[in-house]
Amino acid sequence: MELRYELWDRLPPEPLQSSLLDLLSSVFTSQLPASILADIHYHLTRTGLQFWLAIDNQQIVGCKLGYERKPGQFYSWLGCVQPALRGHGIAGELMRQQHEWCRQRSYHTIRTETYNQWRTMLILNLRFGFNIIGTVQGKHGLTIVLEKKL
């Protein structure tokens, strides 16, 4: 495997776009690909969505998407790694790159949310210095809200 990491400020062109949607819909099985794409387009037009991608041979094997929530605060919205490749540091590297990008642009906090069912993501966030700051009722149950000071 020869991974490369790329940052995009727009939806990547084909074949990467299809690869991204395949990855997201294979991990987030409660959403149809069309729904995921609609959410992506919504954030692209409203918030300036950023895409950190881990790519192996023109296939996206990991991603981290985020946007400015308000001045000084970045929202890390959506991320995942292909299940067969978990445990190889891909999610951590994507997070490291996202946080460094945020530091360089003078963001002072990063916020994210997750569900209890995504425990590995919850643990990764805690390992990277996030604190649990609360919970809210989300579309799919109780959502854990985390924040990190940069």
Side-chain angles (χ1 to χ4, degrees), residues 82-124:
Q82 192 177 79
L85 296 175
R86 291 180 184 161
H88 296 279
I90 296 169
E93 179 59 21
L94 289 166
M95 187 178 289
R96 188 197 66 71
Q97 288 188 20
Q98 183 186 67
H99 295 187
E100 183 56 32
W101 182 89
C102 288
R103 273 187 204 90
Q104 291 174 2
R105 282 148 187 83
S106 301
Y107 287 99
H108 52 81
T109 58
I110 299 178
R111 183 172 285 194
T112 192
E113 297 177 1
T114 191
Y115 293 100
N116 193 50
Q117 78 184 71
W118 305 113
R119 287 192 178 130
T120 53
M121 183 52 74
L122 176 59
I123 291 166
L124 181 67

Side-chain angles (χ1 to χ4, degrees), residues 45-147:
T45 58
R46 302 239 354 199
T47 62
L49 192 60
Q50 302 292 314
F51 299 79
W52 284 265
L53 306 174
I55 303 168
D56 180 37
N57 195 29
Q58 288 301 95
Q59 293 295 310
I60 296 176
V61 298
C63 65
K64 194 133 190 73
L65 285 60
Y67 55 87
E68 182 174 276
R69 187 163 181 253
K70 60 184 181 181
Q73 185 181 77
F74 193 83
Y75 185 73
S76 185
W77 171 49
L78 193 60
C80 63
V81 172
Q82 192 177 79
L85 296 175
R86 291 180 184 161
H88 296 279
I90 296 169
E93 179 59 21
L94 289 166
M95 187 178 289
R96 188 197 66 71
Q97 288 188 20
Q98 183 186 67
H99 295 187
E100 183 56 32
W101 182 89
C102 288
R103 273 187 204 90
Q104 291 174 2
R105 282 148 187 83
S106 301
Y107 287 99
H108 52 81
T109 58
I110 299 178
R111 183 172 285 194
T112 192
E113 297 177 1
T114 191
Y115 293 100
N116 193 50
Q117 78 184 71
W118 305 113
R119 287 192 178 130
T120 53
M121 183 52 74
L122 176 59
I123 291 166
L124 181 67
N125 283 317
L126 293 171
R127 280 188 28 232
F128 270 76
F130 281 86
N131 292 307
I132 296 171
I133 61 167
T135 58
V136 295
Q137 188 60 44
K139 285 193 293 189
H140 306 288
L142 192 64
T143 303
I144 302 165
V145 181
L146 300 108
E147 194 168 271

Side-chain angles (χ1 to χ4, degrees), residues 16-29 36 53-54 59-64 79-83 86 94:
L16 291 177
Q17 184 176 135
S18 291
S19 180
L20 175 63
L21 290 174
D22 289 346
L23 172 64
L24 291 169
S25 61
S26 73
V27 172
F28 300 107
T29 57
I36 294 170
L53 306 174
Q59 293 295 310
I60 296 176
V61 298
C63 65
K64 194 133 190 73
C80 63
V81 172
Q82 192 177 79
R86 291 180 184 161
L94 289 166

